[in-house]
Amino acid sequence: MTFSVAVAGASGYAGGEILRILADHPGFEVRTVTAHQNAGQPLVAHQPHLRSLRHLTLSDTSVDNLAGHDVVFLALPHGKSGEIASQMPEGTLVVDCGADHRLESPESWAAFYGGEYFGAWTYGVPELPIGDGKQRDQLVGTKRIAAPGCNASAVSLALAPGIAAGLIEEEDIVAVLAVGPSGAGKNLKTMYLASEVLGSASPYAVGGTHRHIPEIQQNLRKAGAAHPTVSFTPMLVPMSRGVLATSTARLKPGVTAEQVQDAWETAYAGEPFVQVLPAGSVPRTADVLGANTALIGLAVDAEAGRLVTVLALDNLYKGTAGAAIQSANIALGLEETAGLNVNGVAP
């Protein structure tokens, strides 16, 4: 069976990555692509690398143009997905790659985003440990999926096994991330210009203001934490895509490096896309470029009494589009790995 697909926000980075994956997906057929300012223009005018989809023209992002498809992916700015989604037919699988449906707390939404709160959908990180299972179980048969924030899924996947296994403290978690500017979309802002990014590293959203913080806390609570505290600092670095998340937490007394390695390997055993590296190894962003893969390296800083995790993922692939399509596969009863690449691009 082939499912018909529409992609809203198809001229942006996230929309383009969704289309790049869907172009070779055996179970999906892209029939409609939409945009706002770029409506009426050929898709390849904005996504020239998508040669197999060069026959498509961007139409206006409206409910009328999106309805009538089996699956709709929304790659829209926050505040825009909710407006569209609220009018979509209940039987359509809608996957929001924006932020509008990630947070379960209206208070957190008001504090970090503001504007109308549209409610929480099924969270799209299948491998995330929750209780005695995985988030994957919640995705089966759902019709509404909230794809994750790339930074949030990186930190959550890196630390959730330690919370679930009772090996790390939930307070005093610190995460510092090197991120590529494509995570911010095609925004014409000074800080994203090549002359500002090249040869420089720039922290932003410093001091607990980043919008992914409540999402991380929400995920860690699902893994078993009661009141996790997270100090989160992203750093813009000169690479077009990628996230390298270094997340640390205090170890509980007596926990050994061997216990840590075993807990993470057990948590992600059999997972095709989240892989734990051998002890003593850490990943690079280059290792996951163009793949739906998250690689995790672990170390114990015995002197400081802290666990150090290093996780690498491609923010546009595993961090956004790949997670969305992987979750859609599960919801529709397809093979979870269908259309998704585990091998990166090198050099």
Side-chain angles (χ1 to χ4, degrees):
M1 180 177 180
T2 300
F3 296 92
S4 62
V5 176
V7 177
S11 60
Y13 287 141
E17 190 74 348
I18 292 167
L19 289 168
R20 186 175 75 87
I21 301 171
L22 291 177
D24 295 319
H25 194 293
F28 291 142
E29 179 187 356
V30 178
R31 295 183 184 174
T32 300
V33 290
T34 78
H36 178 48
Q37 293 179 333
N38 299 316
Q41 301 178 31
L43 174 67
V44 290
H46 299 275
Q47 309 289 4
H49 60 300
L50 300 179
R51 304 314 302 174
S52 66
L53 301 177
R54 62 187 181 277
H55 59 285
L56 294 174
T57 298
L58 295 163
S59 57
D60 185 58
T61 300
S62 67
V63 174
D64 288 342
N65 286 332
L66 297 173
H69 298 81
D70 298 314
V71 186
V72 174
F73 292 92
L74 303 175
L76 303 172
H78 82 268
K80 300 300 182 182
S81 297
E83 296 176 10
I84 294 288
S86 63
Q87 304 173 66
M88 294 299 296
E90 292 183 3
T92 301
L93 173 58
V94 184
V95 185
D96 184 8
C97 296
D100 285 10
H101 300 95
R102 293 172 186 163
L103 298 184
E104 298 174 356
S105 165
E107 292 76 21
S108 293
W109 175 266
F112 283 84
Y113 289 93
E116 184 177 353
Y117 175 66
F118 295 99
W121 287 359
T122 309
Y123 193 62
V125 181
E127 304 91 349
L128 184 70
I130 58 168
D132 295 327
K134 295 283 183 70
Q135 181 63 21
R136 172 180 291 109
D137 302 330
Q138 308 300 314
L139 287 160
V140 177
T142 188
K143 291 297 185 181
R144 296 291 187 267
I145 296 170
C150 55
N151 297 320
S153 57
V155 177
S156 302
L157 287 169
L159 293 176
I163 295 290
L167 300 182
I168 61 175
E169 302 287 354
E170 64 182 59
E171 298 179 348
D172 190 26
I173 291 171
V174 178
V176 178
L177 284 72
V179 301
S182 61
K186 290 184 179 179
N187 290 320
L188 293 177
K189 295 182 179 180
T190 300
M191 68 182 293
Y192 303 129
L193 297 175
S195 56
E196 302 292 330
V197 174
L198 296 178
S200 180
S202 306
Y204 64 98
V206 178
T209 62
H210 197 282
R211 289 168 168 170
H212 287 177
I213 291 173
E215 189 178 340
I216 296 168
Q217 292 172 313
Q218 177 176 288
N219 292 342
L220 296 182
R221 285 194 295 269
K222 289 183 178 182
H227 304 287
T229 60
V230 180
S231 177
F232 175 92
T233 306
M235 187 90 61
L236 197 65
V237 298
M239 57 184 182
S240 60
R241 58 164 81 196
V243 172
L244 190 69
T246 302
S247 306
T248 77
R250 285 188 285 125
L251 287 166
K252 291 188 176 180
V255 173
T256 66
E258 290 75 16
Q259 288 176 298
V260 166
Q261 188 74 24
D262 180 68
W264 265 254
E265 289 180 354
T266 299
Y268 295 125
E271 292 289 354
F273 300 124
V274 178
Q275 302 172 18
V276 180
L277 299 180
S281 301
V282 291
R284 310 170 303 166
T285 56
D287 302 330
V288 296
L289 184 66
N292 197 50
T293 308
L295 297 180
I296 305 174
L298 303 164
V300 167
D301 186 338
E303 186 68 22
R306 296 188 74 88
L307 164 73
V308 180
T309 69
V310 181
L311 184 146
L313 58 75
D314 182 326
N315 61 292
L316 290 179
Y317 204 129
K318 179 57 176 168
T320 305
I325 293 168
Q326 182 183 347
S327 298
N329 285 343
I330 296 169
L332 294 169
L334 301 173
E335 287 291 329
E336 184 174 337
T337 58
L340 297 168
N341 186 22
V342 74
N343 297 317
V345 178

